[in-house]
Amino acid sequence: MKQPIRYDRKQESGIRHILKKIFAIREIVILLLVLVLGVFMALNSRQFLTTANFKTIGNYMANDMIIGAFLTISLIAGNTDFSVGSNMGCSAFVCGLLLNAGLPVWVCILVGLCVGVAIGALNAFCIVQLKVVPMIATMGTWMAFKGAGLMIINSSTLSNFPASFKAIVQDWNLFGVSTLIVVMLIVAVVAALLLKYVSFFHQAYFIGSNPESARLSGINVTKFVYVLYMIIGFFAALAGILATSRYGSAPASLGQGVEFRVISALLIGGVSLRRRRLYPRYVPRHSADGPHLECPDAVRNRLEPAERADRQHHGHLCRDRRGKPPPPKVTDVSGLNGRKKEA
C-alpha cells in the first residue's frame, strides 16, 4: 500500500517567501521577461540568434543608450530632459548643412557638438535662473528646437554627404564591432564609473534627495545642473551626428520620439522621477575632496562624547538611529565650539 504524499507547510511557505523576494526585485523580473521574449523569438525565427541580428539590435539601441547614460544621473538628481530628441536632430542638421557647404568634416562635427552643448546650457539657464520646473522647461525647448530644426532644413532631407563622414559609422569598426556600439559601451562604462567614484557626480543622490539641503551643505547645485545638462546636450548631439553618418542622410524626422524611448527605458530600468529622502541614512559632510554624504553613525562616532550628547539632545542631526523626529524646540548649534543660539 502506497503511503500518501505529505507536504511540509513550513517548506512550502519558505519556498513561497523566497519566490516573493526574487520577484520583488525589478531587475530580475525584467531579465526573466527578456529571456522569455528571446526564447519565443528564437523559436519563431532562425535569424534571431545570428551575429548580424545582434549587430542590428546594437546599432538600433546605441543612440538611445548614448543619450540615456548621463540622463540617468540627471534623473537621479531630480531633473529630466525632454529636449534630447530635438537637440539630436537640430545638431545633426547644423552639421549636415556645414558638410554640404564644403567645410572639413572635423569642423562640422565640432560645430554640431557645440550646438548640443549650447542647447543643454539653455535648458540649465531656464531651470536655474528662471526657476522653471525641469519638465516644463525642457518640454518648451523640445518644441522650440524641433521647429528650429525643421526651419533650418526647410522640412526636407539633407544628403550628399562626403564619403569620409559616412565612413565613420558605415566602414569603421573595432574587431568587427561598429563604431556606434563601441561608442555606446564606452559612454555607458564611463558614466557608471563617474557616478560611483567621482564625488561631483555622486552628489546627484543628495541633490535628488533635497536640493535645498544640498545647497546649504556646500554643494554647488547651480554648477551641477549646468554641467550635467551641457553633458547631456553634448551626447545628444553626438548621437545625432553618428545617426546621420550611419544613414548617410539627415531626414526631417531625425530625433523624433527619442526622448520618450529613453526616459521610458530608464523608468522601466529602475530610475525614479520622484525625489528620494536619504535620511536617516546619510548626512552631508565636508572634506578635502569636497562635500559628500556620510552615515549619521559615523558623524556621531567622530564627535566628542559631550558634543555628541549635546547634538543628539537638541536634534542637530535630522533623525536619530531609531527614526524618531527631533524635539519640538530646536536650538541651532553653530560649529563645534558649543555656542548656541535660540531658535
Side-chain angles (χ1 to χ4, degrees):
M1 184 175 180
K2 295 183 179 179
Q3 295 293 332
I5 300 176
R6 296 181 180 179
Y7 295 96
D8 190 351
R9 293 184 178 181
K10 294 183 178 180
Q11 182 179 1
E12 185 178 359
S13 61
I15 295 175
R16 288 183 179 180
H17 181 67
I18 294 174
L19 291 177
K20 285 183 179 179
K21 280 192 172 183
I22 291 175
F23 285 100
I25 303 174
R26 180 184 301 180
E27 291 78 5
I28 294 180
V29 176
I30 295 174
L31 178 61
L32 292 176
L33 291 176
V34 171
L35 291 177
V36 171
L37 182 61
V39 171
F40 175 79
M41 295 297 295
L43 293 176
N44 287 273
S45 176
R46 296 181 179 179
Q47 304 297 327
F48 181 76
L49 295 178
T50 60
T51 305
N53 185 54
F54 283 117
K55 287 182 179 180
T56 303
I57 295 174
N59 287 325
Y60 181 79
M61 64 180 289
N63 288 326
D64 294 350
M65 187 171 288
I66 289 172
I67 297 173
F70 283 91
L71 187 56
T72 302
I73 304 177
S74 180
L75 289 176
I76 292 173
N79 301 313
T80 186
D81 191 351
F82 281 95
S83 68
V84 288
S86 299
N87 190 342
M88 177 181 175
C90 197
S91 303
F93 297 154
V94 172
C95 179
L97 287 175
L98 296 178
L99 287 170
N100 288 339
L103 293 178
V105 173
W106 68 271
V107 174
C108 301
I109 294 176
L110 182 61
V111 173
L113 295 176
C114 291
V115 170
V117 173
I119 293 175
L122 179 62
N123 287 331
F125 176 81
C126 295
I127 295 169
V128 175
Q129 305 299 334
L130 303 182
K131 307 298 182 182
V132 183
V133 178
M135 182 178 294
I136 303 301
T138 55
M139 290 185 75
T141 55
W142 164 39
M143 298 303 297
F145 287 105
K146 181 180 179 180
L150 294 176
M151 189 170 58
I152 288 174
I153 63 173
N154 197 20
S155 299
S156 60
T157 299
L158 298 178
S159 57
N160 299 322
F161 298 138
S164 58
F165 174 74
K166 293 187 289 187
I168 295 176
V169 176
Q170 295 179 5
D171 297 336
W172 294 2
N173 62 79
L174 181 65
F175 302 110
V177 182
S178 67
T179 307
L180 264 177
I181 299 178
V182 173
V183 174
M184 173 192 71
L185 295 175
I186 292 174
V187 173
V189 171
V190 169
L193 294 177
L194 289 177
L195 180 62
K196 186 173 183 179
Y197 295 108
V198 177
S199 60
F200 178 82
F201 291 96
H202 197 70
Q203 294 170 3
Y205 291 103
F206 189 52
I207 296 174
S209 171
N210 193 325
E212 189 61 29
S213 296
R215 187 179 291 107
L216 294 175
S217 68
I219 296 176
N220 193 337
V221 179
T222 300
K223 177 183 177 182
F224 182 88
V225 173
Y226 268 100
V227 171
L228 198 57
Y229 271 99
M230 290 170 70
I231 292 175
I232 293 172
F234 174 87
F235 284 106
L238 178 63
I241 293 171
L242 292 176
T244 304
S245 175
R246 179 193 176 194
Y247 300 132
S249 62
S253 60
L254 182 64
Q256 292 184 8
V258 170
E259 56 279 337
F260 295 109
R261 288 204 311 267
V262 174
I263 294 177
S264 299
L266 295 178
L267 294 179
I268 293 172
V271 183
S272 177
L273 287 175
R274 297 178 299 174
R275 297 189 183 276
R276 298 179 178 178
R277 291 180 58 86
L278 294 178
Y279 299 113
R281 295 179 59 193
Y282 299 100
V283 295
R285 177 198 168 198
H286 290 275
S287 67
D289 298 329
H292 61 279
L293 306 179
E294 188 177 40
C295 178
D297 292 337
V299 176
R300 294 191 187 97
N301 294 335
R302 205 173 56 252
L303 299 175
E304 293 296 331
E307 183 67 26
R308 188 187 314 162
D310 188 63
R311 281 197 175 197
Q312 291 177 349
H313 174 72
H314 292 293
H316 185 76
L317 298 175
C318 7
R319 291 176 181 273
D320 64 12
R321 189 172 183 180
R322 293 168 293 177
K324 294 184 178 180
K329 296 182 179 181
V330 180
T331 57
D332 184 18
V333 180
S334 58
L336 299 177
N337 52 10
R339 293 178 299 176
K340 304 177 182 177
K341 298 179 181 179
E342 294 295 330

